[in-house]
Amino acid sequence: MTMYAASTDVSCDRSRAEIDRIVTKYGATQFMYGWQDQRAVVQFVCNGRHIRFELPLPKRDDPKFSRTPTGRIKKNQGSREAAWEQSCRQRWRALSLVIKAKLEAVQSGITTFDDEFLAHIVLANNQTVGQCILPRLDTAISGNVIAGLLPPPQK
């Protein structure tokens, strides 16, 4: 299956600006983004909730950028860089799509804001609900244990 926006020419900057416009349209009161190492972060406040998406970015030295689809080595550094940039553009387009779809589903009454963004809600300890629950999820499912998914409140 091909990836969404695999051949997009929409820049990462345009996708970030689009995300800003989308969340503002749906009522966000704050918006920010940044990056570090191989990840970008988009965060906004909407419906009284801080929401954070972490977007893993590809490593520039990933071997998939140094080879052609037929497996030949790309000797031109420019073509390697272009392949890496294309992968970044694709991920930003996908993130834009996800955020827009979630907000539209809420607006249309298909789901609630908290249900749609639950994993991305930022808690008081600066972790998202997903970061807190996912390490414990398999145990909770396999053992029918629901209590203890979230860490105890910090004092």
Side-chain angles (χ1 to χ4, degrees):
M1 181 184 339
T2 59
M3 288 181 151
Y4 171 77
S7 60
T8 186
D9 61 354
V10 177
S11 71
C12 298
D13 289 339
R14 277 185 48 203
S15 292
R16 286 191 296 264
E18 181 178 303
I19 293 168
D20 185 357
R21 285 191 304 276
I22 290 167
V23 299
T24 301
K25 173 185 172 187
Y26 287 94
T29 57
Q30 297 177 35
F31 175 83
M32 61 80 58
Y33 82 91
W35 58 269
Q36 180 180 10
D37 300 322
Q38 271 76 51
R39 71 182 179 105
V41 176
V42 170
Q43 192 163 318
F44 57 94
V45 176
C46 193
N47 284 14
R49 305 279 194 235
H50 289 257
I51 306 298
R52 181 171 61 227
F53 283 87
E54 293 190 17
L55 180 65
L57 297 173
K59 295 181 179 180
R60 287 180 187 266
D61 61 355
D62 189 315
K64 71 181 176 183
F65 303 128
S66 62
R67 298 208 174 262
T68 67
T70 59
R72 299 185 75 178
I73 295 176
K74 294 179 184 176
K75 295 179 180 173
N76 181 321
Q77 181 61 31
S79 64
R80 292 178 185 185
E81 186 70 18
W84 174 81
E85 179 64 31
Q86 182 65 43
S87 183
C88 291
R89 288 194 307 266
Q90 181 278 325
R91 290 171 190 226
W92 277 101
R93 293 307 302 152
L95 180 61
S96 176
L97 176 69
V98 165
I99 291 171
K100 184 175 185 176
K102 286 177 175 291
L103 289 167
E104 185 56 35
V106 171
Q107 181 77 19
S108 299
I110 295 168
T111 187
T112 67
F113 188 89
D114 285 351
D115 283 344
E116 200 56 41
F117 288 94
L118 183 62
H120 303 282
I121 294 173
V122 180
L123 300 171
N125 66 1
N126 201 34
Q127 287 187 304
T128 63
V129 172
Q131 289 169 327
C132 287
I133 290 178
L134 287 175
R136 299 172 182 89
L137 188 58
D138 285 339
T139 303
I141 290 171
S142 65
N144 290 326
V145 178
I146 299 301
L149 282 179
L150 286 175
Q154 293 181 341
K155 295 182 182 192

